[in-house]
Amino acid sequence: PRTSNILEWMEYISNFPIFILIWPHRFIVSMLRSNVLPGSLIVKRFSLCNGRSHHQFLPLKQRGRLQAAVLPVTPPLLDDEEKRKQMSEDYGFNQIGEQLPDNITLKDVMDTLPKEVFEIDDVKAWASVLISVTSYAFGLFLISKAPWYLLPVAWAWAGTAVTGFFVIGHDCAHKSFSRNKLVEDIVGTLAFLPLIYPYEPWRFKHDRHHAKTNMLVEDTAWQPVWQNEIESSSFLRKAIIFGYGPIRPWMSIAHWLMWHFDLKKFRPNELPRVKISLACVFAFMAIGWPLIILQSGIAGWFKFWFMPWMVYHFWMSTFTMVHHTAPHIPFKSSKEWNAAQAQLNGTVHCSYPRWIEILCHDINVHVPHHISPRIPSYNLRAAHDSIKQNWGKYINEASWNWRLMKTILTTCHVYDKERYYVSFDELVPEESQPIRFLKKFMPDYA
């Protein structure tokens, strides 16, 4: 329905099946692949990606303005300083970097880093564990004492603190926490347990994200939507629009479900470690959840575990999409992909309020982490200073703000080779009420 005010829009989404909001849309695609719109309503476009063919279905009424609405963000445009400044202002960035020359390799960038940023310091590593444990315990204490109207503050603190657990496990997975690999496996597994996250399945898939950052089809983090997915069915289209629009800051829940519990997604040599991680997670659920409920009831489970977990997923989704999603950052096929450009040009450094950065162990200082995942989290700032000194003009930088989030949520949707992204409300305006709602009501402060 076309909505004219917020009440109509709220009534519209209140009738929307809740499972549509969280179900991974690429799984639904496989069930609806044969259900396409009638030929009289669409024009079919053929493209190649990573050696595979993709049929892109575009509404006939959109053909004219689809190609002319936005200028392609081509390298010559990125080389124009004034245009990059204007793009930075429009998108909510502090700086949009120049295009990295094709002849620069990832090794060239890595060789400029001081050797000390790769050194593991056991004291600093365990200090990060102490920070996370004490801050999370303090968060649970706040939840237990806060009146109902202050619970959101307590949940925000506890959820951000438990995100620090994830970053510790993240360091363990990259072999940057300890020189003892058994210690890393144990700490990583334990750090992930309160999040119901299986450590080894995540580690295997996350390694692929680093190896193929912003590579079409292959990257295991955020991917643009394909146009044939948008045109597969009305059901799927609505699910995707919500998933990449209003609920995108929680879509890591769908990613968690889709990628980490399906044994078919792992190689035979990975399965023993995957099964151990899954057993640990299910044991935590079988023991930890009943203990919480026994002590404080279902309401206590909701207060002490579920709501901090939702805050954690907000940060999980937000960090990931801010790090690699912007109108000027392309996804490329494997034949066009360049490692140095993807890791240096295609990764965003974003500053957050300092308390968030402390509790999350500087995971927002993300460019050096993509130059080399072996850099411990406590050395990321020193590595970033070195990269700024040697490669500063190529870096994308932002301070977390409303305009940045609004740009991602309302613009970075459907893949287009020339323009990088096309917004849902341009392709399917009649079903993009959620996107128009965000454009109208989200603040635009940068």
Side-chain angles (χ1 to χ4, degrees), residues 127-171:
S128 66
V129 174
L130 181 62
I131 289 171
S132 287
V133 170
T134 55
S135 59
Y136 183 49
F138 179 63
L140 296 179
F141 173 77
L142 289 178
I143 293 172
S144 69
K145 298 298 183 182
W148 66 267
Y149 52 87
L150 289 180
L151 277 175
V153 176
W155 289 331
W157 178 275
T160 306
V162 82
T163 304
F165 282 35
F166 181 87
V167 179
I168 291 168
H170 178 262
D171 269 16

Side-chain angles (χ1 to χ4, degrees), residues 4-48:
S4 58
N5 58 52
I6 187 171
L7 292 177
E8 290 179 9
W9 190 86
M10 291 174 69
E11 181 181 2
Y12 169 64
I13 64 170
S14 70
N15 294 319
F16 211 85
I18 189 65
F19 61 89
I20 293 178
L21 305 185
I22 63 172
W23 199 253
H25 79 268
R26 295 183 196 280
F27 175 75
I28 302 172
V29 170
S30 65
M31 298 188 294
L32 301 172
R33 185 66 68 184
S34 62
N35 181 19
V36 295
L37 296 178
S40 61
L41 299 179
I42 59 174
V43 60
K44 185 166 69 174
R45 195 166 74 182
F46 177 81
S47 65
L48 281 174

